[in-house]
Amino acid sequence: MNTMSNKFSLADSTVNSIVQVEKITSGQKARRFLADLGVLEGVKLRILKNDVGPILIEVKATRVAIGRGIAQKIEVTT
Amino acid sequence: MRRSRFNQGKRRYKRKFRGSKPRGSKPYSGKPHHGKSFATEDTNHTIEHRIAFLGNPNVGKSSIFNILTGSHQHVGNWPGKTVEKKEGHFLLSDEYFSLIDLPGAYSLSAHSEEELITRQYVVEERPDLVCAIVDATRLERTSYIALQALELTDNIALIVNMMDLAEKENIQIDKHKLEKLLGIPILLVSAFDNSSIIRIKKFLYDALHTEKYTFRPAYLLYSQKLETMINSVSRQIENREILRDYPTRWLSIKVLEADKWVISKLEEEYVLDDIFNKIEKLKKSVNFDPADEIPKRKYRALKDIVKKSVIGIEDFKEKVSDKVDKVVMHKFWGYPILILIYVAFFLITFYASGPIINGLDYLLSYFSDIVRGWLVAVSSPTFLTSLIVDGILAGIGAVLLFIPIIIIFYILIAVMEDSGYLARSAYLMDIVLGKFGLQGTAFLSMVMGLGCNVTGILAARTIKSDRDRISMILTNSFIPCAATLGVVAFLTGIFFKTKPWFAALLMLILYALSFLLVFLSSMFFRLFLGKSDTMPLIIEIPEYRLPRIRNIFYLTWERAGIFIKKAGTFIFIASIVIWFVSNVPYGVSTEYSIAGYIGRGLAFITEPLFGFDWRMVIPLLFGIAAKEVVISALSILGLLTVAWTTPQIISFLVFQMTYAPCFATLAIIKSETKSWKMTAIGFFYPLIVTSLITAAVYHILLLFL
Ligand SMILES: Nc1nc2c(ncn2[C@@H]2O[C@H](COP(=O)(O)OP(=O)(O)OP(=O)(O)O)[C@@H](O)[C@H]2O)c(=O)[nH]1
Ligand SMILES: [Mg+2]
């Protein structure tokens, strides 16, 4: 669908980069919980760790670890 | 994109103006006053104020609660410690203040037990004041729940905690600006400042009493589209019979947010299909989902408030924690470090407690000799002397002996909790546990279980997936608690006195085995518990903090204190019981006492299977009540001085590590699962599994030794 855009999933983001959340396509329950932790559309994140295991991000001055499965459903842009 | 007028200009925030409200002792507009009449024997405080603390996990709610009320609630540096609401009190100017420490929650929706508890408390119990607590260094994120609370109640004040850390980061908060924007009283503090206690007390007092503050909580206006929808729901439910305590607007917002609890309640009275159809249509036609839009609006408003009232916030500044984590949470180095830390944990406990135990042992036997001598001197009957010296003193003494082990162990756990490493080890373990179908958060429950299975099972509440949570509740008793550690350290210390390195190694292997059992069991349970609503791992990782002596002291004191208290009460009674069953009828040898008969009966099974003779069975039987009783019973039965064969020793050690949950643990399994069936599984499953393993170990050892 969006092969033309520069959107990619949070799971594919590079360490230390700052990205902006475009869309979260997960189920509503997870989306809501992410929102409670400040991860929602339009918000900027910094990637602290992304190799194996959950992805570690910084959002609104808080470190949050997000499982890889759900990170794949978070679309971001640089 | 769709852009509404909402976020432009000053319209965003409107004040809900109701004039100044007299507060506290006088009832005020509309809402019934809840100050109950209150009188205690010594004084006659006629006014009781109830104040509820709510806020995100790990913002310091319990820390503040503790300093104000002099309690020692669980404080540590990981999210999700307080799982049940706790009440405490203080007096100021002859008035009685009741504080309620609610479990940390990220929002006031109904996704989790904590959130439901919190919001029901706020609305249905109607505290005189809701006090939201937020973290100054993370003002925006931690205020999200406060903004939600503003929609739920008017009696709300805000404490901005951790100002010491904010000052270090050069964050400056303009209190008056913030007060104006939010329309509620605000206090900036640091929980551990000496002046804080009185400042917070005074703040709460003023908030409840004087005209110093006017409460006009800001009124968040959403976009026009949302407002139209909110109004249309509001109109429909305005004259409802149920949920009368909840504000109409708030309920409407929750309906739009698809809050299951609110919707199902309202549907008892209304057909809401119309609304849902409308929402569906919007979702389809303009791709607009109110459930996503509402949180977004709230955060946008918050961002704006923070921007106007705080200076010095630097986005994405690299902190010390980040640098440390480059190593500690490294994809490769993280694991050797993790193993090293946990192994060190046990070795330190083991080696540091050895000399203390020997010293205590010497003192205790010296003491019991004096008592015996004294009893003989006053020519007390022999059975009484035996009951006191060989029963009570031996039983309690044995438990007192390993209290140093427990204390040292608890200190180490507390250091790990308060430094922030515990949360990180949960992160690291997520990959490992993932192989067994568990999430990293399950590790928090396991580590807490090392201290006490009751705490471990309660900590399982941080696990978001229901299936994982049930399986952690059922398998937590596989994790040897501090009492079991005491038994193991004590027994290996006695039996392998000449080979301390072997004792330590054996202990580590036994622990590794216990953890493996938990991992494998959760895989096994997955077969039966079915598919869960696989909630993905999402966990907050706190900053590293220097562990606070105060926190460590109280954590250890509270936890070890339980054992010391138990030694004086429960173990005292258990010792008498054990002495009686193993000495009645009086005069016969133990073999023909009550305990002898029971033991010999059970030994028909246990002797061929595990090598436990009739005497070794009895401690295990009593150990089901509480694990430390195993040692008391061994001591009363004089088993610590007889020769055991090596396979017997190892088989006994393997068995007692995991064989059954104690009474307290069974009770908590019942209360957490609310099911007798689960409780039965929680008891028999470990028993069966441990029996199989012990039998295998024993027979293999027999082949070689
Ligand atoms: N520097 C500093 N640390 C604080 C302050 N208040 C609390 N802490 C620390 O923050 C951590 C969390 O405190 P708690 O009181 O356990 O937090 P809580 O909000 O009760 O957390 P949960 O029960 O998990 O929801 C602990 O390590 C405290 O020592 C403060 O004002 N300054
Ligand atoms: Mg707490």
Side-chain angles (χ1 to χ4, degrees):
Chain A
M1 184 181 128
N2 41 34
T3 41
M4 299 286 286
S5 73
N6 53 354
K7 279 188 203 163
F8 51 97
S9 92
L10 181 63
D12 298 327
S13 54
T14 42
V15 177
N16 279 329
S17 64
I18 292 171
V19 297
Q20 180 165 335
V21 180
E22 286 296 314
K23 203 169 169 52
I24 300 174
T25 57
S26 68
Q28 196 172 55
K29 207 174 160 192
R31 203 158 70 230
R32 204 81 66 70
F33 190 43
L34 282 168
D36 290 347
L37 285 159
V39 180
L40 66 177
E41 282 172 35
V43 166
K44 287 205 164 93
L45 321 170
R46 183 161 72 109
I47 319 298
L48 298 175
K49 177 177 186 276
N50 181 9
D51 34 50
V52 290
I55 291 164
L56 195 65
I57 57 158
E58 182 183 334
V59 54
K60 299 184 195 289
T62 307
R63 266 180 219 81
V64 180
I66 297 179
R68 216 148 253 286
I70 193 84
Q72 255 145 18
K73 293 180 185 146
I74 303 177
E75 277 177 22
V76 297
T77 55
T78 47
Chain B
M1 291 209 63
R2 301 164 309 283
R3 199 134 285 149
S4 65
R5 274 163 292 151
F6 165 76
N7 55 347
Q8 270 131 41
K10 293 179 222 132
R11 283 200 52 204
R12 185 180 315 181
Y13 259 78
K14 245 196 192 170
R15 286 295 163 62
K16 199 198 274 177
F17 188 80
R18 287 199 188 161
S20 70
K21 304 166 195 163
R23 308 198 45 90
S25 45
K26 277 177 253 161
Y28 86 105
S29 57
K31 295 199 178 170
H33 179 65
H34 241 261
K36 277 179 258 162
S37 274
F38 196 91
T40 52
E41 313 95 79
D42 52 330
T43 43
N44 49 348
H45 322 293
T46 43
I47 300 167
E48 183 197 4
H49 303 291
R50 286 181 311 122
I51 302 170
F53 282 178
L54 71 80
N56 279 181
N58 224 26
V59 295
K61 295 178 298 300
S62 300
S63 301
I64 293 180
F65 177 85
N66 284 350
I67 58 164
L68 293 186
T69 61
S71 351
H72 312 305
Q73 292 304 325
H74 190 169
V75 166
N77 191 13
W78 53 283
K81 296 156 304 266
T82 308
V83 292
E84 237 149 41
K85 61 170 195 272
K86 290 278 155 48
E87 204 173 323
H89 313 275
F90 70 84
L91 276 174
L92 192 66
S93 296
D94 248 10
E95 284 173 28
Y96 194 81
F97 290 77
S98 296
L99 297 186
I100 295 97
D101 187 17
L102 292 166
Y106 288 111
S107 79
L108 294 179
S109 19
H111 315 150
S112 64
E113 194 79 2
E114 308 89 75
E115 294 170 358
L116 213 55
I117 293 179
T118 304
R119 86 178 186 196
Q120 278 177 345
Y121 189 86
V122 168
V123 180
E124 285 162 21
E125 305 282 321
R126 294 212 196 170
D128 301 301
L129 183 70
V130 170
C131 187
I133 298 180
V134 298
D135 175 347
T137 62
R138 307 180 288 146
L139 196 60
E140 192 184 326
R141 218 301 299 288
T142 52
S143 298
Y144 180 59
I145 189 173
L147 207 59
Q148 291 183 316
L150 281 177
E151 287 176 334
L152 202 51
T153 172
D154 288 347
N155 319 346
I156 179 164
L158 188 77
I159 292 183
V160 180
N161 189 29
M162 313 241 183
M163 282 307 289
D164 54 327
L165 298 176
E167 266 155 36
K168 262 187 219 142
E169 291 181 32
N170 282 322
I171 296 175
Q172 286 162 26
I173 300 176
D174 182 342
K175 186 184 98 144
H176 297 288
K177 196 77 183 267
L178 201 56
E179 260 176 358
K180 235 165 134 186
L181 288 169
L182 287 172
I184 58 174
I186 288 170
L187 178 73
L188 310 180
V189 288
S190 152
F192 303 109
D193 251 13
N194 288 329
S195 61
S196 290
I197 301 183
I198 191 64
R199 282 185 62 217
I200 300 170
K201 282 185 181 172
K202 197 168 165 324
F203 172 74
L204 296 174
Y205 185 93
D206 285 349
L208 283 161
H209 279 88
T210 62
E211 314 296 270
K212 183 171 166 190
Y213 297 118
T214 44
F215 285 72
R216 284 175 290 162
Y219 186 93
L220 178 59
L221 213 55
Y222 296 92
S223 66
Q224 206 170 36
K225 207 182 270 170
L226 279 171
E227 285 297 332
T228 315
M229 291 176 83
I230 293 170
N231 289 337
S232 107
V233 184
S234 292
R235 266 196 306 276
Q236 192 177 345
I237 61 172
E238 217 154 30
N239 300 315
R240 66 191 175 280
E241 289 297 316
I242 43 166
L243 300 182
R244 292 285 291 273
D245 289 342
Y246 291 77
T248 306
R249 182 181 165 84
W250 183 82
L251 286 175
S252 310
I253 293 173
K254 284 293 147 186
V255 169
L256 296 178
E257 281 188 311
D259 185 292
K260 286 209 188 80
W261 187 84
V262 169
I263 289 174
S264 72
K265 284 268 165 165
L266 284 176
E267 278 182 334
E268 287 170 20
E269 196 175 325
Y270 295 102
V271 183
L272 297 169
D273 288 353
D274 257 12
I275 294 159
F276 299 135
N277 287 340
K278 229 184 256 168
I279 296 177
E280 275 313 307
K281 231 185 268 162
L282 272 173
K283 267 195 214 166
K284 286 229 179 68
S285 63
V286 282
N287 204 7
F288 178 91
D289 187 348
D292 289 333
E293 205 54 27
I294 292 169
K296 224 191 224 167
R297 293 288 162 184
K298 282 211 180 78
Y299 270 113
R300 225 180 262 174
L302 261 182
K303 194 168 186 171
D304 189 61
I305 292 172
V306 171
K307 203 157 128 200
K308 284 183 179 147
S309 56
V310 185
I311 50 173
I313 293 182
E314 249 181 83
D315 278 343
F316 305 127
K317 192 170 58 181
E318 178 151 80
K319 299 193 177 138
V320 186
S321 291
D322 295 326
K323 288 186 190 131
V324 178
D325 280 341
K326 290 234 156 65
V327 184
V328 172
M329 288 173 80
H330 188 268
K331 66 176 171 186
F332 176 75
W333 294 111
Y335 293 90
I337 293 172
L338 180 106
I339 293 172
L340 213 71
I341 288 179
Y342 280 90
V343 166
F345 220 76
F346 290 107
L347 294 185
I348 292 173
T349 309
F350 190 73
Y351 284 111
S353 52
I356 310 178
I357 292 180
N358 287 339
L360 263 182
D361 188 24
Y362 179 78
L363 280 179
L364 279 170
S365 55
Y366 185 73
F367 178 68
S368 89
D369 282 346
I370 292 180
V371 174
R372 189 191 297 274
W374 183 77
L375 284 170
V376 171
V378 299
S379 52
S380 86
T382 49
F383 84 89
L384 190 65
T385 310
S386 167
L387 171 64
I388 292 174
V389 178
D390 306 325
I392 298 169
L393 283 183
I396 294 179
V399 170
L400 286 182
L401 271 189
F402 71 64
I403 281 185
I405 302 182
I406 289 177
I407 291 178
I408 293 173
F409 192 66
Y410 278 144
I411 291 177
L412 295 176
I413 290 192
V415 168
M416 190 138 79
E417 273 186 59
D418 211 32
S419 62
Y421 188 72
L422 181 67
R424 283 163 174 85
S425 54
Y427 171 90
L428 287 168
M429 287 301 286
D430 188 70
I431 302 178
V432 181
L433 293 176
K435 307 254 186 290
F436 301 92
L438 282 171
Q439 283 185 355
T441 38
F443 195 64
L444 294 174
S445 149
M446 293 182 215
V447 176
M448 288 293 106
L450 287 173
C452 168
N453 294 133
V454 172
T455 327
I457 287 172
L458 283 175
R461 291 205 189 166
T462 48
I463 301 172
K464 291 280 169 219
S465 139
D466 288 343
R467 187 191 57 194
D468 284 10
R469 181 164 166 236
I470 295 279
S471 110
M472 278 319 297
I473 290 173
L474 294 180
T475 55
N476 206 280
S477 63
F478 276 141
I479 303 282
C481 69
T484 313
L485 172 69
V487 179
V488 185
F490 193 79
L491 289 182
T492 50
I494 290 180
F495 291 132
F496 304 105
K497 210 170 206 143
T498 49
K499 288 181 272 187
W501 59 270
F502 180 77
L505 184 68
L506 184 64
M507 191 167 78
L508 290 178
I509 293 173
L510 289 174
Y511 267 90
L513 184 70
S514 307
F515 272 82
L516 195 65
L517 275 178
V518 177
F519 298 171
L520 293 174
S521 299
S522 59
M523 251 175 128
F524 178 69
F525 282 135
R526 261 155 73 92
L527 301 176
F528 302 99
L529 292 171
K531 277 223 179 68
S532 84
D533 44 340
T534 41
M535 189 64 187
L537 176 90
I538 302 172
I539 182 188
E540 213 178 282
I541 310 285
E543 296 286 294
Y544 285 108
R545 296 212 182 97
L546 212 59
R548 249 162 224 288
I549 304 288
R550 187 198 152 95
N551 293 353
I552 310 255
F553 175 78
Y554 283 119
L555 273 176
T556 309
W557 176 249
E558 285 287 305
R559 292 167 175 173
I562 294 176
F563 282 93
I564 298 171
K565 254 181 244 149
K566 248 161 87 190
T569 53
F570 185 78
I571 306 297
F572 174 76
I573 294 164
S575 300
I576 295 177
V577 172
I578 296 168
W579 183 88
F580 264 101
V581 293
S582 54
N583 282 281
V584 170
Y586 190 68
V588 301
S589 72
T590 319
E591 200 167 354
Y592 298 100
S593 66
I594 301 173
Y597 280 102
I598 299 172
R600 278 184 295 146
L602 286 172
F604 277 114
I605 311 167
T606 59
E607 182 118 43
L609 274 180
F610 322 126
F612 301 163
D613 65 24
W614 64 271
R615 276 199 293 191
M616 295 162 66
V617 181
I618 299 165
L620 292 170
L621 202 60
F622 282 104
I624 294 175
K627 293 311 166 70
E628 58 269 41
V629 180
V630 172
I631 285 286
S632 300
L634 284 170
S635 163
I636 295 169
L637 292 163
L639 278 171
L640 295 175
T641 45
V642 301
W644 298 30
T645 68
T646 309
Q648 263 182 332
I649 298 168
I650 294 179
S651 162
F652 188 86
L653 286 172
V654 170
F655 190 82
Q656 68 82 38
M657 283 300 269
T658 53
Y659 74 105
C662 67
F663 284 170
T665 306
L666 276 175
I668 205 81
I669 294 178
K670 171 69 180 46
S671 69
E672 289 292 287
T673 60
K674 299 185 182 69
S675 143
W676 284 110
K677 193 178 123 196
M678 288 297 172
T679 313
I681 296 174
F683 181 76
F684 287 106
Y685 177 76
L687 190 62
I688 293 166
V689 172
T690 308
S691 298
L692 293 174
I693 292 173
T694 312
V697 169
Y698 180 63
H699 287 277
I700 292 169
L701 285 173
L702 279 187
L703 295 179
F704 294 100
L705 294 170

